[in-house]
Amino acid sequence: MNQDDLIVKVFKGIGNPVRFKILKFLCDGPKCVCKINEEFVYSQANLSQHLRILKDAGLVKSEKVGIEMHYRLYNDKIKDIIYHVEDYVKDYVANIK
């Protein structure tokens, strides 16, 4: 996989509404998969699929803590991407009115 392919994979990961919400939820810090499931109320299989896609795109990483699996953003640059896009959208919406 070349760099451009990975960039597209990152945007695809962020571009799904469910995965975007998961990433925003993780901006506050690591969360147990049980807390993520409580917040979004998806089937375990559906949530696992979304988390796997986020992991494969290098957006999140997981760590086993006792018997629980915790997820966190891969690094703070993910937050920067989210916040920059949100700022862009705010400016864009303000300018089209």
Side-chain angles (χ1 to χ4, degrees), residues 12-66:
K12 283 183 179 180
I14 295 171
N16 176 279
V18 173
R19 292 191 291 270
F20 179 75
K21 289 176 186 175
I22 292 170
L23 290 171
K24 290 266 303 186
F25 187 61
L26 293 175
C27 282
D28 295 333
K31 305 281 190 306
C32 170
V33 72
C34 59
K35 293 295 181 192
I36 298 170
N37 201 26
E38 285 175 12
E39 181 74 16
F40 298 105
V41 194
Y42 297 115
S43 71
Q44 183 65 38
N46 190 355
L47 182 61
S48 292
Q49 182 180 11
H50 285 296
L51 290 168
R52 181 184 49 76
I53 291 168
L54 290 170
K55 253 181 107 168
D56 289 347
L59 295 166
V60 300
K61 55 186 170 181
S62 62
E63 170 185 24
K64 191 159 185 155
V65 178

Side-chain angles (χ1 to χ4, degrees), residues 3 31 44 50 62 68 70-71 74 80:
Q3 188 172 346
K31 305 281 190 306
Q44 183 65 38
H50 285 296
S62 62
E68 299 175 335
H70 289 229
Y71 286 85
Y74 189 81
D80 294 341

Side-chain angles (χ1 to χ4, degrees), residues 77-90:
K77 290 181 181 181
I78 307 305
K79 286 184 197 179
D80 294 341
I81 293 169
I82 291 169
Y83 297 148
H84 284 300
V85 171
E86 286 178 334
D87 285 344
Y88 169 79
V89 168
K90 287 177 190 172

